[in-house]
Amino acid sequence: MAVKDLNDALLDLMKDLLHAEKQLTKALPKMAKKAGHDELRQAFESHLEETQEHVTRLEQAFEAMDEKPRTKVCHAMQGLIEEGEEASQEAEEGSTRDAMLIAAAQKVEHYEIASYGTAVVWAQQLDQGKVAKLLHATLDEEKEADEKLTQIAESGVNVAAENE
C-alpha cells in the first residue's frame, strides 16, 4: 500500500503494531517459562493477558476507521524477540538470565511506547478520537509494564545477578 497521507501512515503503523502484538502473544509464554524469579514470571504472564487485550483494541481501532484489521510484518519486533531469545539461551539459569530477560522485555516495551505514542498523536491530529482513546489505553499499559520491569530489576534481580 502506498502511503499518501497521515491517515494512511496511521493505518500502516497500526498494521505494524497488530503484527507486533501478535508476535508477543507467542513470545511472552516462552519468556515466562524461562524466568526464574517468581515476580518476573508473573509480570510476563500478566502482560500476556494485557497483550491479548492490545490486539482486541487495535482491531477495534481499525473498525472505528471503517477498515478491516490487517497486519504488516513488524521486522523490528521480530528482531527484538530474536535478540531476547538469543540472550536467554546464552545465559545460564538464574538471576543473570532474569536480568537479560528484563532488558529484552524493556527493549520491546520501549519500541511499543514509541510506536503507540506516535499513533496516538496521529489519531488525535486526524480527529479520530475513539482510535486515539483505544491506542492511549494501550500506551498507558505499556508504560506501566516498563515501570514494573524496572521495579523487579531494581528490587533484587540485578543485585542477585551481580552476586552470581
Side-chain angles (χ1 to χ4, degrees), residues 37 39 102 148-160:
H37 191 272
E39 192 176 6
I102 290 169
K148 178 70 173 173
L149 290 166
T150 296
Q151 180 268 322
I152 293 168
E154 291 177 347
S155 70
V157 170
N158 288 349
V159 172

Side-chain angles (χ1 to χ4, degrees), residues 20-159:
E21 296 289 14
K22 287 183 175 187
Q23 288 181 74
L24 282 175
T25 63
K26 295 175 184 154
L28 282 165
K30 294 175 188 175
M31 294 173 78
K33 188 175 180 180
K34 289 203 175 220
H37 191 272
D38 286 338
E39 192 176 6
L40 180 58
R41 183 173 32 263
Q42 290 169 4
F44 288 147
E45 290 168 353
S46 174
H47 198 57
L48 173 60
E49 292 174 21
E50 287 179 347
T51 301
Q52 291 163 338
E53 179 62 27
H54 299 168
V55 170
T56 300
R57 280 193 203 120
L58 279 164
E59 290 169 347
Q60 291 170 345
F62 276 105
E63 290 165 11
M65 295 179 72
D66 295 320
E67 295 285 338
K68 184 179 177 189
R70 293 191 323 236
T71 63
K72 171 186 171 182
V73 175
C74 181
H75 297 286
M77 188 61 71
Q78 283 180 331
L80 290 169
I81 290 171
E82 184 178 310
E83 195 174 288
E85 287 173 355
E86 286 174 8
S88 69
Q89 290 170 357
E90 291 170 1
E92 292 182 17
E93 188 175 330
S95 294
T96 300
R97 178 191 285 171
D98 285 347
M100 293 176 78
L101 285 169
I102 290 169
Q106 286 192 293
K107 288 178 184 181
V108 166
E109 294 307 326
H110 292 188
Y111 173 78
E112 289 180 305
I113 289 166
S115 297
Y116 278 105
T118 298
V120 167
V121 170
W122 287 353
Q124 290 169 338
Q125 182 68 36
L126 293 165
D127 291 323
Q128 290 284 347
K130 182 176 181 181
V131 174
K133 185 177 179 182
L134 288 163
L135 297 173
H136 202 285
T138 299
L139 175 61
D140 288 343
E141 289 175 359
E142 301 296 8
K143 289 177 180 178
E144 289 169 12
D146 181 53
E147 289 172 15
K148 178 70 173 173
L149 290 166
T150 296
Q151 180 268 322
I152 293 168
E154 291 177 347
S155 70
V157 170
N158 288 349
V159 172

